[in-house]
């Protein structure tokens, strides 16, 4: 049976941005990846986003990126969408990666704005139109200007949102006015996802349909509860629960992500602390404080109702 093509209606809820477990030879630890995905599915997440910045895309060998995408697809087993990142700065490398991920079973591609060359808005628009025209699976735009120095103008995003093969975006622009203007003009066939753990309830209140969330890899049930409250219009409740995570988020991003996150993955049953060059393990003091904070949050999470996937 042919797989149903992903559309914006399926881009809802919590999609953890997952780290890439690696062995000492910098190769993907497939067994650890399966354990992480199984845990997240059990806890009721709505989709998976491997191979973003959290997944150390730029530090992985090209064939290892494909192995990671394939491992996630296999572990998900069709129960949730798998949307790997494509973080290459040039069109041809990005398309080659996207086709390889699609061949491995990816449901869509999260394609980063092309960086370093500093294109114009017209160049950005043309890049995504061409990519979407040629991509074998739907495209989710990835905008993160504090990493790339490139932001898409709201009116360009409005136009791109009407392309039949562009179904959403991960919005990591911390400018809330920019976010409000984007959401105000995108198509109904386009889903805006919050890409910022720290701003998630505000993005939901402004019209986001969910989030691609880093710390959901270790607290999936908590993030589902925050999403459920926000999606039901209970923004005060969502903000209250989110506020309780501020100490953990401060520590998770105190050094370059995913170093701190990887150092505590063993608390959810996945012992994979190794990070890839040029990243280094976080300071021991930070690891200890984050471990203590996460252990407490996990105790609180276990008291939340489960929402297991079928």
């Amino acid at each position: 049976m042919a797989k149903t093509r992903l559309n914006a209606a399926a881009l809802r809820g919590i999609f953890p941005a997952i780290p890439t477990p690696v062995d000492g030879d910098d190769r993907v630890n497939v067994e650890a990846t399966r354990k992480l995905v199984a845990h997240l599915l059990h806890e009721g997440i709505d989709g998976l986003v491997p191979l973003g910045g959290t997944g150390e895309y730029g530090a992985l060998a090209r064939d290892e990126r494909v192995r990671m995408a394939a491992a996630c697809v296999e572990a998900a087993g069709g129960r949730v969408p798998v949307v790997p990142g494509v973080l290459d700065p040039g069109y041809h490398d990005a398309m080659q990666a996207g086709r390889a991920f699609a061949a491995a079973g990816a449901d869509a591609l999260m394609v980063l704005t092309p960086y370093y060359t500093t294109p114009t808005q017209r160049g950005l628009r043309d890049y995504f139109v061409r990519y979407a025209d040629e991509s074998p699976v739907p495209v989710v735009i990835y905008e993160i200007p504090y990493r790339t120095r490139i932001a898409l103008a709201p009116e360009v995003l409005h136009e791109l949102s009407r392309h039949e093969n562009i179904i959403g975006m991960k919005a990591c622009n911390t400018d809330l006015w920019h976010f409000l203007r984007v959401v105000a003009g995108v198509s109904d066939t386009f889903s805006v996802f919050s890409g910022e753990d720290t701003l998630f309830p505000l993005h939901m209140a402004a019209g986001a349909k969910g989030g691609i969330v880093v710390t959901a890899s270790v607290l999936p049930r908590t993030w589902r509860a925050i999403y459920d409250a926000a999606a039901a219009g209970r923004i005060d409740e969502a903000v209250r629960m989110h506020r309780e995570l501020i100490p953990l988020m401060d520590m998770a991003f105190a050094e370059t992500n995913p170093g701190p996150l990887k150092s505590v993955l063993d608390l959810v049953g996945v012992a994979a602390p190794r990070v890839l060059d040029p990243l280094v393990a976080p300071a021991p003091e930070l690891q200890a404080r984050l471990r203590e904070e996460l252990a407490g949050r996990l105790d609180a999470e276990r008291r939340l109702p489960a929402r297991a996937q079928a």
Side-chain angles (χ1 to χ4, degrees):
M1 181 183 296
K3 184 163 62 172
T4 302
R5 192 171 180 83
L6 193 68
N7 59 35
L11 291 180
R12 298 287 189 278
I14 298 297
F15 284 48
I18 65 174
T20 303
V22 294
D23 294 321
D25 59 0
D26 291 353
R27 288 172 56 83
V28 173
N29 183 328
V30 173
E31 184 56 35
T33 300
R34 289 172 179 155
K35 285 183 180 180
L36 178 57
V37 172
H39 170 68
L40 294 172
L41 289 172
H42 181 267
E43 295 300 304
I45 54 87
D46 299 288
L48 296 166
V49 181
L51 298 169
T54 302
E56 296 174 275
Y57 185 98
L60 286 166
R62 293 181 186 277
D63 57 347
E64 290 303 302
R65 296 171 190 163
V66 179
R67 287 185 72 229
M68 180 61 179
C72 290
V73 168
E74 180 185 10
R79 286 169 286 181
V80 298
V82 177
V83 185
V86 175
L87 275 58
D88 300 274
Y91 181 83
H92 295 289
D93 282 345
M95 181 53 67
Q96 181 181 12
R99 285 176 173 150
F101 298 157
D107 296 282
L109 304 169
M110 185 181 74
V111 181
L112 184 64
T113 50
Y115 52 95
Y116 187 75
T117 52
T118 315
T120 63
Q121 290 297 312
R122 177 182 173 186
L124 290 166
R125 180 260 181 205
D126 290 352
Y127 178 91
F128 279 107
V129 168
R130 181 182 179 190
Y131 199 101
D133 284 346
E134 298 185 16
S135 175
V137 293
V139 170
V140 174
I141 294 169
Y142 183 14
E143 183 193 50
I144 182 166
Y146 56 80
R147 287 287 186 101
T148 64
R149 296 177 54 248
I150 295 293
L152 284 155
E155 56 269 23
V156 172
L157 283 163
H158 298 164
E159 179 183 355
L160 292 173
S161 76
R162 286 158 175 81
H163 191 292
E164 63 181 2
N165 207 33
I166 300 177
I167 62 173
M169 73 174 293
K170 177 183 179 182
C172 292
N173 193 324
T174 57
D175 181 343
L176 286 174
W177 177 233
H178 181 274
F179 187 90
L180 289 166
R181 290 164 64 209
V182 169
V183 173
V186 295
S187 167
D188 291 339
T189 60
F190 185 88
S191 183
V192 179
F193 261 33
S194 171
E196 292 295 310
D197 295 32
T198 54
L199 296 177
F200 178 79
L202 303 182
H203 283 168
M204 286 291 296
K209 303 301 183 184
I212 297 173
V213 180
V214 172
T215 54
S217 286
V218 289
L219 291 171
R221 198 180 296 190
T222 299
W223 277 103
R224 275 291 325 181
I226 295 170
Y227 166 78
D228 286 341
R234 304 192 305 274
I235 299 299
D236 287 350
E237 180 182 345
V239 168
R240 178 185 58 76
M241 288 188 287
H242 183 262
R243 189 172 292 151
E244 293 173 358
L245 297 185
I246 287 175
L248 181 136
M249 290 187 288
D250 276 343
M251 286 182 268
F253 301 111
E255 293 190 25
T256 303
N257 178 55
L261 180 69
K262 279 187 146 184
S263 74
V264 295
L265 277 178
D266 61 293
L267 292 180
V268 296
V270 181
R274 180 175 173 79
V275 292
L276 298 169
D277 291 337
L279 297 184
V280 296
E285 298 82 3
L286 175 60
Q287 292 188 44
R289 289 189 293 113
L290 178 57
R291 180 171 294 273
E292 181 179 4
E293 180 66 24
L294 179 58
R297 296 311 318 163
L298 286 169
D299 284 342
E301 172 152 298
R302 294 182 187 106
R303 295 191 289 272
L304 293 171
R307 179 185 174 271
Q309 292 290 342

